[in-house]
Amino acid sequence: MKGRPLRRTADIQMPAIILNGKETAAAIKAEVAAKTAQNTRTDRAPCLAVILVGEDPASQVYVRNKKNACAACGFRSAEYLLSADTSEADLLALIADLNADDTVDGILCQLPLPGQIREQAVIDAISPEKDVDGFHPVNAGRLLTGQDCFMPCTPAGVVELLRRAGVPMAGKHCVIVGRSNIVGKPAALLMLRENATVTVCHSRTENLKETVRTGDIVIAAVGRANFITADMIKPGAAVVDVGINRLPEGGLCGDVDFAAASEVAGWISPVPGGVGPMTIAMLMKNTLLAYENRRLLK
Ligand code: NDP
Protein backbone atom coordinates (compact mmCIF):
# COMPACT_ATOMS: atom_id res chain seq x y z
CA MET A 1 0.00 0.00 0.00
CA LYS A 2 3.09 2.21 0.31
CA GLY A 3 3.21 5.07 -2.18
CA ARG A 4 -0.50 4.96 -3.03
CA PRO A 5 -2.57 8.09 -2.63
CA LEU A 6 -4.97 7.88 0.34
CA ARG A 7 -7.76 9.44 -1.70
CA ARG A 8 -8.39 7.84 -5.02
CA THR A 9 -10.16 9.77 -7.71
CA ALA A 10 -11.57 9.14 -11.17
CA ASP A 11 -8.49 10.63 -12.83
CA ILE A 12 -6.02 8.40 -10.99
CA GLN A 13 -6.70 4.94 -12.38
CA MET A 14 -4.92 2.00 -10.82
CA PRO A 15 -6.02 -1.43 -9.65
CA ALA A 16 -7.99 -1.30 -6.42
CA ILE A 17 -6.45 -1.71 -2.99
CA ILE A 18 -7.47 -5.13 -1.71
CA LEU A 19 -9.48 -5.09 1.52
CA ASN A 20 -7.72 -8.10 2.97
CA GLY A 21 -10.18 -9.70 5.37
CA LYS A 22 -7.92 -12.62 6.14
CA GLU A 23 -5.08 -10.41 7.43
CA THR A 24 -7.40 -7.99 9.23
CA ALA A 25 -9.26 -10.87 10.88
CA ALA A 26 -5.95 -12.39 12.02
CA ALA A 27 -5.02 -9.07 13.65
CA ILE A 28 -8.38 -8.87 15.44
CA LYS A 29 -8.12 -12.47 16.67
CA ALA A 30 -4.61 -11.75 17.98
CA GLU A 31 -6.02 -8.78 19.93
CA VAL A 32 -8.80 -10.98 21.34
CA ALA A 33 -6.28 -13.71 22.23
CA ALA A 34 -4.07 -11.20 24.08
CA LYS A 35 -7.04 -9.91 26.08
CA THR A 36 -8.12 -13.47 26.84
CA ALA A 37 -4.63 -14.42 28.04
CA GLN A 38 -4.83 -11.48 30.45
CA ASN A 39 -8.30 -12.40 31.71
CA THR A 40 -7.53 -16.08 32.17
CA ARG A 41 -4.69 -15.37 34.58
CA THR A 42 -7.39 -15.07 37.22
CA ASP A 43 -10.49 -16.61 35.64
CA ARG A 44 -11.78 -19.40 33.44
CA ALA A 45 -11.62 -19.05 29.63
CA PRO A 46 -14.58 -17.66 27.65
CA CYS A 47 -16.85 -20.37 26.26
CA LEU A 48 -18.85 -20.37 23.03
CA ALA A 49 -21.53 -23.03 22.55
CA VAL A 50 -22.08 -23.86 18.87
CA ILE A 51 -25.14 -25.83 17.78
CA LEU A 52 -25.35 -27.49 14.38
CA VAL A 53 -28.53 -29.27 13.31
CA GLY A 54 -28.10 -31.64 10.37
CA GLU A 55 -25.17 -32.22 8.07
CA ASP A 56 -25.22 -29.36 5.57
CA PRO A 57 -21.62 -29.35 4.23
CA ALA A 58 -21.34 -25.55 4.08
CA SER A 59 -22.61 -25.24 7.67
CA GLN A 60 -20.13 -27.91 8.77
CA VAL A 61 -17.29 -25.82 7.31
CA TYR A 62 -18.54 -22.65 9.06
CA VAL A 63 -18.82 -24.48 12.39
CA ARG A 64 -15.33 -25.95 12.01
CA ASN A 65 -13.90 -22.50 11.22
CA LYS A 66 -15.62 -21.03 14.28
CA LYS A 67 -14.26 -23.82 16.47
CA ASN A 68 -10.72 -23.24 15.16
CA ALA A 69 -11.06 -19.50 15.76
CA CYS A 70 -12.12 -20.20 19.37
CA ALA A 71 -9.00 -22.29 19.89
CA ALA A 72 -6.82 -19.55 18.37
CA CYS A 73 -8.33 -16.99 20.76
CA GLY A 74 -7.90 -19.19 23.85
CA PHE A 75 -11.65 -19.83 24.18
CA ARG A 76 -13.35 -23.07 25.04
CA SER A 77 -15.90 -24.16 22.45
CA ALA A 78 -18.66 -26.63 23.16
CA GLU A 79 -20.12 -28.28 20.07
CA TYR A 80 -23.64 -29.70 19.90
CA LEU A 81 -24.15 -31.76 16.75
CA LEU A 82 -27.82 -32.67 16.41
CA SER A 83 -29.43 -34.89 13.81
CA ALA A 84 -31.40 -33.32 10.94
CA ASP A 85 -34.70 -34.66 12.34
CA THR A 86 -34.27 -32.91 15.73
CA SER A 87 -37.57 -31.38 16.86
CA GLU A 88 -37.95 -27.70 17.60
CA ALA A 89 -38.89 -28.57 21.19
CA ASP A 90 -35.65 -30.51 21.71
CA LEU A 91 -33.56 -27.69 20.25
CA LEU A 92 -35.33 -25.11 22.43
CA ALA A 93 -34.73 -27.31 25.49
CA LEU A 94 -30.99 -27.43 24.71
CA ILE A 95 -30.92 -23.64 24.32
CA ALA A 96 -32.72 -23.23 27.67
CA ASP A 97 -30.03 -25.42 29.31
CA LEU A 98 -27.24 -23.37 27.72
CA ASN A 99 -28.92 -20.10 28.75
CA ALA A 100 -28.92 -21.35 32.35
CA ASP A 101 -25.34 -22.69 32.22
CA ASP A 102 -23.07 -20.24 34.00
CA THR A 103 -19.97 -21.58 32.25
CA VAL A 104 -21.33 -20.69 28.78
CA ASP A 105 -20.87 -17.09 27.59
CA GLY A 106 -22.09 -17.18 24.01
CA ILE A 107 -24.58 -19.36 22.13
CA LEU A 108 -24.68 -19.71 18.39
CA CYS A 109 -27.09 -21.85 16.41
CA GLN A 110 -25.82 -22.27 12.86
CA LEU A 111 -28.42 -21.24 10.24
CA PRO A 112 -30.16 -22.39 8.10
CA LEU A 113 -32.17 -24.90 10.13
CA PRO A 114 -34.21 -27.85 8.83
CA GLY A 115 -37.79 -27.04 7.82
CA GLN A 116 -39.47 -28.43 10.97
CA ILE A 117 -37.72 -25.79 13.12
CA ARG A 118 -38.78 -22.13 13.04
CA GLU A 119 -35.61 -20.02 12.85
CA GLN A 120 -37.21 -17.04 14.54
CA ALA A 121 -38.32 -19.20 17.50
CA VAL A 122 -34.70 -20.30 17.95
CA ILE A 123 -33.31 -16.77 17.61
CA ASP A 124 -35.87 -15.53 20.16
CA ALA A 125 -34.99 -18.33 22.60
CA ILE A 126 -31.30 -17.44 22.96
CA SER A 127 -30.72 -15.16 25.94
CA PRO A 128 -29.91 -11.64 24.63
CA GLU A 129 -26.86 -11.62 26.96
CA LYS A 130 -25.48 -14.71 25.18
CA ASP A 131 -26.65 -13.77 21.67
CA VAL A 132 -23.19 -13.35 20.13
CA ASP A 133 -24.65 -13.50 16.60
CA GLY A 134 -26.59 -10.33 17.41
CA PHE A 135 -29.82 -11.66 15.87
CA HIS A 136 -32.14 -11.48 18.91
CA PRO A 137 -34.82 -8.76 18.63
CA VAL A 138 -33.47 -7.16 21.83
CA ASN A 139 -30.05 -6.70 20.25
CA ALA A 140 -31.59 -5.66 16.92
CA GLY A 141 -33.69 -3.04 18.76
CA ARG A 142 -30.70 -1.82 20.73
CA LEU A 143 -28.75 -1.44 17.48
CA LEU A 144 -31.64 0.51 15.94
CA THR A 145 -31.81 2.86 18.92
CA GLY A 146 -28.05 3.39 19.14
CA GLN A 147 -27.47 1.49 22.40
CA ASP A 148 -24.67 -0.92 23.29
CA CYS A 149 -25.47 -4.37 21.89
CA PHE A 150 -24.06 -7.43 20.21
CA MET A 151 -23.70 -6.31 16.61
CA PRO A 152 -24.44 -8.86 13.90
CA CYS A 153 -21.04 -10.28 12.96
CA THR A 154 -21.11 -9.94 9.17
CA PRO A 155 -22.09 -6.26 8.88
CA ALA A 156 -19.88 -5.43 11.87
CA GLY A 157 -17.04 -7.16 10.00
CA VAL A 158 -17.75 -5.09 6.89
CA VAL A 159 -17.52 -1.82 8.83
CA GLU A 160 -14.37 -2.92 10.69
CA LEU A 161 -12.72 -3.91 7.40
CA LEU A 162 -13.45 -0.45 5.96
CA ARG A 163 -12.36 1.31 9.16
CA ARG A 164 -9.04 -0.51 9.48
CA ALA A 165 -8.26 0.13 5.80
CA GLY A 166 -8.77 3.86 6.36
CA VAL A 167 -11.70 4.14 3.95
CA PRO A 168 -13.54 7.40 4.68
CA MET A 169 -17.16 6.74 5.69
CA ALA A 170 -18.50 9.92 7.30
CA GLY A 171 -20.51 11.95 4.82
CA LYS A 172 -20.01 9.36 2.06
CA HIS A 173 -22.83 7.75 0.13
CA CYS A 174 -23.06 4.06 0.99
CA VAL A 175 -25.22 1.89 -1.27
CA ILE A 176 -26.17 -1.50 0.16
CA VAL A 177 -27.64 -4.13 -2.15
CA GLY A 178 -29.71 -6.55 -0.06
CA ARG A 179 -32.05 -5.99 2.89
CA SER A 180 -31.91 -9.18 4.93
CA ASN A 181 -32.19 -9.07 8.72
CA ILE A 182 -28.72 -10.50 9.14
CA VAL A 183 -26.75 -8.44 6.60
CA GLY A 184 -28.42 -5.65 4.62
CA LYS A 185 -30.59 -3.98 7.29
CA PRO A 186 -28.03 -4.02 10.12
CA ALA A 187 -25.32 -2.91 7.66
CA ALA A 188 -27.47 0.16 6.95
CA LEU A 189 -27.73 0.96 10.68
CA LEU A 190 -24.01 0.46 11.24
CA MET A 191 -23.11 2.70 8.30
CA LEU A 192 -25.47 5.36 9.69
CA ARG A 193 -23.53 5.12 12.96
CA GLU A 194 -20.43 5.91 10.88
CA ASN A 195 -22.25 8.99 9.58
CA ALA A 196 -22.53 7.69 6.04
CA THR A 197 -25.56 8.59 3.93
CA VAL A 198 -27.21 5.26 3.24
CA THR A 199 -29.31 3.83 0.42
CA VAL A 200 -30.63 0.26 0.67
CA CYS A 201 -31.48 -1.53 -2.60
CA HIS A 202 -33.40 -4.80 -3.05
CA SER A 203 -35.12 -6.88 -5.69
CA ARG A 204 -37.81 -4.22 -6.29
CA THR A 205 -35.40 -1.30 -6.65
CA GLU A 206 -35.79 0.60 -9.89
CA ASN A 207 -32.68 1.86 -11.69
CA LEU A 208 -30.44 -0.39 -9.63
CA LYS A 209 -27.40 0.09 -11.86
CA GLU A 210 -27.61 3.90 -11.72
CA THR A 211 -28.19 3.87 -7.96
CA VAL A 212 -25.26 1.58 -7.19
CA ARG A 213 -23.08 3.79 -9.38
CA THR A 214 -23.70 6.72 -7.04
CA GLY A 215 -22.11 4.84 -4.14
CA ASP A 216 -18.78 5.94 -2.68
CA ILE A 217 -19.09 2.69 -0.76
CA VAL A 218 -20.96 -0.33 -2.13
CA ILE A 219 -21.88 -3.31 0.06
CA ALA A 220 -23.12 -6.26 -1.99
CA ALA A 221 -25.21 -8.83 -0.09
CA VAL A 222 -27.40 -10.44 -2.73
CA GLY A 223 -26.27 -14.05 -3.12
CA ARG A 224 -25.84 -13.99 -6.92
CA ALA A 225 -22.50 -14.58 -8.62
CA ASN A 226 -21.13 -11.60 -10.60
CA PHE A 227 -24.30 -9.61 -10.00
CA ILE A 228 -22.43 -6.32 -9.48
CA THR A 229 -20.58 -5.53 -12.68
CA ALA A 230 -17.76 -3.02 -13.26
CA ASP A 231 -20.09 -0.54 -15.01
CA MET A 232 -22.10 -0.29 -11.76
CA ILE A 233 -19.08 0.96 -9.80
CA LYS A 234 -18.21 4.62 -9.36
CA PRO A 235 -14.50 5.06 -10.11
CA GLY A 236 -12.56 5.04 -6.85
CA ALA A 237 -15.42 3.57 -4.77
CA ALA A 238 -14.88 1.07 -1.95
CA VAL A 239 -16.60 -2.21 -2.77
CA VAL A 240 -17.29 -4.79 -0.07
CA ASP A 241 -18.52 -8.15 -1.31
CA VAL A 242 -20.51 -10.12 1.26
CA GLY A 243 -21.84 -12.74 -1.18
CA ILE A 244 -20.80 -16.35 -0.98
CA ASN A 245 -21.74 -18.28 -4.10
CA ARG A 246 -20.68 -21.83 -4.84
CA LEU A 247 -19.40 -22.35 -8.37
CA PRO A 248 -20.55 -25.47 -10.27
CA GLU A 249 -16.88 -26.36 -10.93
CA GLY A 250 -16.10 -26.01 -7.20
CA GLY A 251 -14.78 -23.04 -5.26
CA LEU A 252 -16.46 -19.82 -4.18
CA CYS A 253 -17.14 -16.43 -5.66
CA GLY A 254 -18.81 -13.28 -4.41
CA ASP A 255 -21.58 -11.08 -5.80
CA VAL A 256 -19.13 -8.74 -7.53
CA ASP A 257 -17.35 -9.34 -10.83
CA PHE A 258 -14.04 -9.00 -9.00
CA ALA A 259 -11.60 -8.96 -11.94
CA ALA A 260 -13.37 -6.19 -13.85
CA ALA A 261 -14.56 -4.21 -10.80
CA SER A 262 -11.06 -4.07 -9.31
CA GLU A 263 -9.96 -2.03 -12.36
CA VAL A 264 -12.53 0.65 -11.46
CA ALA A 265 -12.87 0.55 -7.67
CA GLY A 266 -10.56 2.27 -5.21
CA TRP A 267 -10.81 -0.56 -2.69
CA ILE A 268 -12.34 -4.00 -3.08
CA SER A 269 -12.74 -7.09 -0.90
CA PRO A 270 -12.11 -10.54 -2.42
CA VAL A 271 -14.13 -13.73 -1.99
CA PRO A 272 -12.81 -15.82 -0.36
CA GLY A 273 -10.55 -13.89 2.01
CA GLY A 274 -12.72 -10.80 2.53
CA VAL A 275 -15.86 -10.60 4.65
CA GLY A 276 -15.93 -14.32 5.56
CA PRO A 277 -12.93 -14.26 7.93
CA MET A 278 -14.08 -10.89 9.30
CA THR A 279 -17.43 -12.41 10.29
CA ILE A 280 -15.66 -15.01 12.41
CA ALA A 281 -13.30 -12.44 13.94
CA MET A 282 -16.31 -10.33 15.00
CA LEU A 283 -17.92 -13.42 16.50
CA MET A 284 -14.80 -13.84 18.63
CA LYS A 285 -15.00 -10.16 19.68
CA ASN A 286 -18.66 -10.61 20.61
CA THR A 287 -17.88 -13.75 22.64
CA LEU A 288 -15.15 -11.92 24.55
CA LEU A 289 -17.62 -9.06 25.17
CA ALA A 290 -20.27 -11.50 26.44
CA TYR A 291 -17.69 -13.03 28.79
CA GLU A 292 -16.51 -9.65 30.07
CA ASN A 293 -20.10 -8.45 30.58
CA ARG A 294 -20.83 -11.57 32.64
CA ARG A 295 -17.68 -11.09 34.73
CA LEU A 296 -18.76 -7.53 35.53
CA LEU A 297 -22.06 -8.88 36.87
CA LYS A 298 -20.32 -11.24 39.30
P1 NDP B 1 -30.93 -13.11 1.56
O1 NDP B 1 -31.27 -14.07 0.48
O2 NDP B 1 -31.63 -13.15 2.86
O3 NDP B 1 -31.10 -11.61 0.97
C1 NDP B 1 -30.71 -11.30 -0.32
C2 NDP B 1 -31.10 -9.89 -0.61
O4 NDP B 1 -30.75 -9.62 -1.97
C3 NDP B 1 -32.60 -9.63 -0.47
O5 NDP B 1 -32.82 -8.44 0.25
C4 NDP B 1 -33.07 -9.50 -1.90
O6 NDP B 1 -34.12 -8.56 -2.09
C5 NDP B 1 -31.83 -8.97 -2.60
N1 NDP B 1 -31.89 -9.29 -4.02
C6 NDP B 1 -32.13 -10.50 -4.59
N2 NDP B 1 -32.17 -10.38 -5.93
C7 NDP B 1 -31.95 -9.07 -6.20
C8 NDP B 1 -31.91 -8.32 -7.40
N3 NDP B 1 -32.09 -8.87 -8.59
N4 NDP B 1 -31.68 -6.99 -7.32
C9 NDP B 1 -31.50 -6.40 -6.10
N5 NDP B 1 -31.54 -7.05 -4.94
C10 NDP B 1 -31.77 -8.37 -4.99
O7 NDP B 1 -29.35 -13.24 1.75
P2 NDP B 1 -28.39 -12.83 2.97
O8 NDP B 1 -28.49 -11.37 3.23
O9 NDP B 1 -28.54 -13.78 4.08
O10 NDP B 1 -26.98 -13.13 2.29
C11 NDP B 1 -26.56 -12.46 1.12
C12 NDP B 1 -25.29 -13.12 0.62
O11 NDP B 1 -24.30 -12.97 1.63
C13 NDP B 1 -25.40 -14.63 0.38
O12 NDP B 1 -24.55 -14.97 -0.70
C14 NDP B 1 -24.86 -15.24 1.66
O13 NDP B 1 -24.31 -16.53 1.45
C15 NDP B 1 -23.78 -14.24 1.99
N6 NDP B 1 -23.45 -14.21 3.41
C16 NDP B 1 -22.13 -14.15 3.72
C17 NDP B 1 -21.72 -14.09 5.02
C18 NDP B 1 -20.27 -14.02 5.31
O14 NDP B 1 -19.86 -14.31 6.42
N7 NDP B 1 -19.44 -13.61 4.36
C19 NDP B 1 -22.69 -14.13 6.14
C20 NDP B 1 -24.07 -14.06 5.70
C21 NDP B 1 -24.41 -14.12 4.38
P3 NDP B 1 -35.62 -8.79 -1.51
O15 NDP B 1 -35.53 -8.49 -0.05
O16 NDP B 1 -36.43 -7.83 -2.26
O17 NDP B 1 -35.95 -10.23 -1.79
Side-chain angles (χ1 to χ4, degrees):
M1 270 181 228
K2 231 180 183 176
R4 284 176 184 272
L6 207 66
R7 286 188 47 184
R8 301 165 64 82
T9 63
D11 21 296
I12 308 172
Q13 277 301 319
M14 57 173 71
I17 294 170
I18 301 299
L19 295 167
N20 190 328
K22 207 172 163 189
E23 273 179 14
T24 311
I28 293 169
K29 284 186 286 182
E31 290 161 17
V32 171
K35 200 84 198 287
T36 302
Q38 241 174 32
N39 288 333
T40 51
R41 272 192 225 137
T42 54
D43 205 350
R44 66 166 176 81
C47 173
L48 175 66
V50 181
I51 306 169
L52 175 62
V53 186
E55 289 170 3
D56 175 60
S59 294
Q60 285 175 329
V61 172
Y62 297 143
V63 165
R64 193 169 57 232
N65 290 344
K66 288 167 187 175
K67 204 175 136 188
N68 291 342
C70 281
C73 291
F75 297 176
R76 189 167 74 81
S77 61
E79 236 183 344
Y80 297 85
L81 305 176
L82 310 183
S83 64
D85 60 358
T86 299
S87 70
E88 183 180 298
D90 283 349
L91 178 54
L92 294 181
L94 170 61
I95 290 171
D97 285 348
L98 295 171
N99 282 340
D101 187 337
D102 207 32
T103 65
V104 170
D105 301 294
I107 304 170
L108 176 152
C109 185
Q110 186 65 47
L111 303 179
L113 291 165
Q116 75 277 13
I117 302 175
R118 291 167 302 152
E119 281 186 3
Q120 194 60 50
V122 170
I123 290 168
D124 291 351
I126 294 173
S127 160
E129 289 75 40
K130 297 189 179 187
D131 170 39
V132 285
D133 256 339
F135 294 164
H136 192 284
V138 166
N139 282 310
R142 293 177 71 88
L143 177 63
L144 181 74
T145 51
Q147 301 175 65
D148 287 342
C149 62
F150 291 110
M151 295 183 194
C153 302
T154 298
V158 168
V159 174
E160 194 64 18
L161 191 57
L162 290 167
R163 187 184 293 128
R164 291 194 183 218
V167 175
M169 291 184 269
K172 300 297 176 189
H173 184 202
C174 174
V175 178
I176 299 165
V177 191
R179 57 172 165 179
S180 70
N181 286 342
I182 62 169
V183 188
K185 280 186 214 162
L189 294 170
L190 289 174
M191 290 306 291
L192 280 176
R193 275 196 182 188
E194 298 299 322
N195 295 312
T197 303
V198 178
T199 300
V200 182
C201 302
H202 45 79
S203 65
R204 306 291 292 272
T205 297
E206 292 179 355
N207 304 323
L208 183 78
K209 186 178 272 193
E210 292 74 15
T211 306
V212 174
R213 213 180 138 82
T214 63
D216 302 303
I217 299 168
V218 175
I219 301 173
V222 183
R224 290 189 181 201
N226 297 327
F227 182 78
I228 305 288
T229 48
D231 58 341
M232 296 167 82
I233 307 295
K234 179 177 179 175
V239 180
V240 185
D241 192 348
V242 179
I244 300 178
N245 304 294
R246 273 158 217 289
L247 298 166
E249 64 271 27
L252 299 178
C253 78
D255 288 347
V256 179
D257 177 358
F258 180 85
S262 59
E263 295 298 320
V264 183
W267 296 263
I268 191 165
S269 71
V271 177
V275 175
M278 289 300 293
T279 296
I280 295 184
M282 300 318 279
L283 174 68
M284 298 299 111
K285 272 191 99 161
N286 277 352
T287 304
L288 178 62
L289 177 65
Y291 166 85
E292 290 182 339
N293 287 345
R294 288 165 52 71
R295 284 177 99 208
L296 284 177
L297 292 176
K298 275 186 191 163

